[in-house]
Amino acid sequence: MFNRCFLRMGQWRPGFLRLWFTAGVFFALVAMLLSVFLLSLLAFNTIRQKPVEQQVLTPMPGVNLPASQVWYYMLTLLVCGILHEVGHAVAAVREQVRVNGFGIFMMIIYPGAFVDLSSEHLQVVSPLRQLRIYCAGVWHNFVIVIIAIIILLSLPVLLLPVYSQGHAVAITGVEENSAVSGPKGLFVGEALTAVGDCQVTNTEAWRHCILTSMKEPSLGYCLPVQLIGQLNTTPKNWTQPEKGDIDCCNTTSATHLCFLYHTKTSQDTSYACLPARTTTDRPVCKLQSDCYLPGVEVACVYPAVDNQTKLLRIFHGRRPPLLFLGHPLDLFYSGDVVVDLILVPVCADVHNHCMTASAFACF
């Protein structure tokens, strides 16, 4: 079966194949010189006793190739090995050398392929024709590399129908035991789309949003005064301290946070221990005048935190958004982000995603 396939391929456009495999001869000569240089460099580094990580020039599992990627490496070797031997076989047919057989083998865990050519036929053809056959394998491997690079660089265009670029950044790493790690925190591969009202479209926008959140005052949220009274869980015996941090929740709740606000009936600052998730789902306000509802007294409630601490809503491709309480730089250094192709569902926008998740509060 394989021989018939090789015969058809070897007889396709003989003139083109002659030029094709001749180009392979010239490439092999250049590659041979480069290989001699690399081997000499390897020997030189070995004599200088450089670390093995700096000496190995090819991927080796456990040395410069992660163990988790070994199977991808083995599959790549198998594909490259098959196409390498196919190159020899097609070149042999083109040069009128008989192909006795073709096969695939597995040596322990190393996959490979082979082609059996007629030794008698090889000996009677000219040296140039022999070189076309011998060099066809490495020439095809080089072409595979070029094609793979072209496909890799073309991925943004090829995947354009299902992926979009410039709408978010991908989370490529989250520091263990950081403020945003854990089952309800951020995960590698998620699309980070916004920090509050600041849209994150690339790494520069991500840095800008973090710096902006540090400079600007904390945002407030519009809540009817009557609803504040209903949601308030401040202990009855709580009194406002004269100095220090104000915590009207007495740190007894993992889902509530102390907020401050003003009402029309009192000039003094009022405090209320409110559920953070419910409160931050309300409309955002910077000033009391931003909150208006006909016939209802509405207050702009602000997190009762110091100037360095911020309450941020992190939109990360799942609902609801992650609530982060702390210094924005802690958020910045807790994870790594990189501009990447992010899968964005058709029905998704910055603040409303198709995907759902359980509620999360970091308090």
Side-chain angles (χ1 to χ4, degrees), residues 12-298:
W12 177 79
R13 296 187 180 276
F16 169 77
L17 290 180
R18 180 175 179 273
L19 293 175
W20 175 259
F21 290 118
T22 301
V25 173
F26 287 102
F27 166 76
L29 293 175
V30 175
M32 181 179 62
L33 296 176
L34 181 61
S35 298
V36 172
F37 170 76
L38 293 177
L39 289 174
S40 301
L41 180 62
L42 178 61
F44 178 73
N45 290 336
T46 302
I47 294 174
R48 294 183 59 186
Q49 297 182 346
K50 281 193 173 184
V52 65
E53 292 82 0
Q54 300 179 18
Q55 296 185 45
V56 179
L57 301 176
T58 57
M60 290 189 63
V63 179
N64 58 359
L65 180 71
S68 60
Q69 299 181 12
V70 169
W71 297 113
Y72 300 108
Y73 183 53
M74 294 301 176
L75 179 61
T76 302
L77 286 178
L78 179 61
V79 173
C80 291
I82 291 175
L83 295 179
H84 178 101
E85 299 302 330
V86 167
H88 288 308
V90 174
V93 172
R94 166 65 184 77
E95 302 301 334
Q96 306 299 317
V97 174
R98 187 178 66 198
V99 178
N100 296 327
F102 173 86
I104 300 173
F105 66 87
M106 177 72 73
M107 183 178 294
I108 307 178
I109 63 171
Y110 180 84
F114 68 91
V115 62
D116 181 20
L117 305 179
S118 173
S119 301
E120 293 80 4
H121 289 188
L122 272 174
Q123 292 174 359
V124 298
V125 298
S126 66
L128 178 59
R129 295 172 67 183
Q130 291 183 25
L131 282 175
R132 292 193 186 111
I133 298 173
Y134 293 142
C135 299
V138 67
W139 170 238
H140 276 200
N141 287 143
F142 173 73
V143 172
I144 294 170
V145 171
I146 297 300
I147 294 175
I149 292 175
I150 293 174
I151 294 176
L152 179 64
L153 297 178
S154 303
L155 283 179
V157 177
L158 297 176
L159 300 179
L160 193 60
V162 292
Y163 282 79
S164 63
Q165 193 173 22
H167 291 80
V169 292
I171 300 173
T172 60
V174 177
E175 186 177 340
E176 190 176 356
N177 298 323
S178 66
V180 295
S181 62
K184 295 182 180 180
L186 299 177
F187 293 92
V188 174
E190 282 188 320
L192 199 154
T193 57
V195 178
D197 290 336
C198 183
Q199 296 188 16
V200 179
T201 56
N202 51 47
T203 51
E204 290 301 322
W206 164 246
R207 296 188 185 95
H208 170 73
C209 291
I210 294 296
L211 293 176
T212 301
S213 64
M214 293 171 55
K215 297 176 182 178
E216 294 186 352
S218 296
L219 295 175
Y221 303 91
C222 297
L223 264 76
V225 175
Q226 183 178 3
L227 180 60
I228 294 175
Q230 295 173 357
L231 298 177
N232 187 12
T233 59
T234 302
K236 295 181 179 180
N237 59 350
W238 180 81
T239 57
Q240 179 180 341
E242 296 181 0
K243 296 182 180 180
D245 297 335
I246 297 176
D247 182 14
C248 57
C249 295
N250 285 341
T251 64
T252 57
S253 175
T255 59
H256 287 56
L257 181 67
C258 188
F259 290 85
L260 62 89
Y261 63 99
H262 296 86
T263 62
K264 295 180 180 179
T265 58
S266 175
Q267 296 298 326
D268 297 332
T269 301
S270 301
Y271 296 89
C273 181
L274 303 174
R277 178 68 61 191
T278 302
T279 304
T280 55
D281 284 340
R282 304 291 298 185
V284 176
C285 57
K286 293 184 178 180
L287 303 172
Q288 179 64 39
S289 57
D290 295 335
C291 300
Y292 175 75
L293 194 61
V296 179
E297 184 180 1
V298 182

Side-chain angles (χ1 to χ4, degrees), residues 335-361:
D336 300 320
V337 295
V338 64
V339 177
D340 204 348
L341 291 172
I342 304 299
L343 178 61
V344 179
V346 176
C347 60
D349 55 36
V350 172
H351 296 290
N352 186 20
H353 298 270
C354 300
M355 294 171 282
T356 60
S358 59
F360 170 77

